[in-house]
Amino acid sequence: YGRGFFKYKTMSSEGAAIRQFVNSPDFEKAVNDAFTEADSDKSGALDKKETRRVLDALISDLGGGSLRDDEFDQCFRDIDTDGSGQIEKKEFAEFTKAVFLAIAQALDA
C-alpha cells in the first residue's frame, strides 16, 4: 500500500478490467502483500494506527484529502466487522475488494 498500491492497481479506466483484476489470483496476492506491509508490528492484524496509515494512503492515491478523526473511527468500525478492535486479513481483503468494486461501478456510471 505504501507504494501507490491502490492508485497503481486502479489505473485502468474501465470497470470491467478492475472487476477482472478483483477476481484474479493477482488481486489476492496484491492484497496479501499490502496487508503484510501494513502490519508493521507483524501481529497478524491491523491496529488503529496501522489502519489509519492504510486509509490515508488509499485516500491520497485516489486524490482525496485526509479523514477527520470521527470519519476514521466510523470507517474502522465498518471494516472491523467482528468488533475485535483490530482489522484481520479477511476483513482487510473484504474492504479492499469492496473499494475496488465501488471504483469499477463508478467508472461504469
Side-chain angles (χ1 to χ4, degrees):
Y1 81 95
R3 293 180 290 264
F5 167 74
F6 294 102
K7 187 174 188 177
Y8 173 76
K9 297 299 182 182
T10 59
M11 285 171 58
S12 171
S13 62
E14 295 182 18
I18 292 173
R19 277 190 291 284
Q20 183 179 4
F21 171 64
V22 165
N23 292 310
S24 74
D26 290 340
F27 179 75
E28 186 175 334
K29 181 180 180 336
V31 168
N32 285 334
D33 291 349
F35 183 87
T36 299
E37 183 178 340
D39 185 16
S40 59
D41 64 5
K42 306 303 179 210
S43 67
L46 305 182
D47 60 24
K48 282 193 169 189
K49 183 177 176 183
E50 293 164 328
T51 303
R52 181 73 188 229
R53 283 196 306 265
V54 169
L55 290 177
D56 286 347
L58 167 63
I59 292 168
S60 175
D61 285 351
L62 296 175
S66 59
L67 291 172
R68 296 186 321 259
D69 289 342
D70 61 317
E71 293 171 324
F72 168 75
D73 290 339
Q74 183 60 53
C75 286
F76 188 88
R77 284 191 301 272
D78 291 345
I79 300 166
D80 181 22
T81 57
D82 68 3
S84 68
Q86 297 184 331
I87 307 301
E88 288 81 22
K89 189 180 288 188
K90 180 180 182 221
E91 292 167 324
F92 181 78
E94 290 169 355
F95 164 74
T96 305
K97 184 174 185 174
V99 167
F100 275 71
L101 291 176
I103 292 167
Q105 183 176 352
L107 289 171
D108 288 343

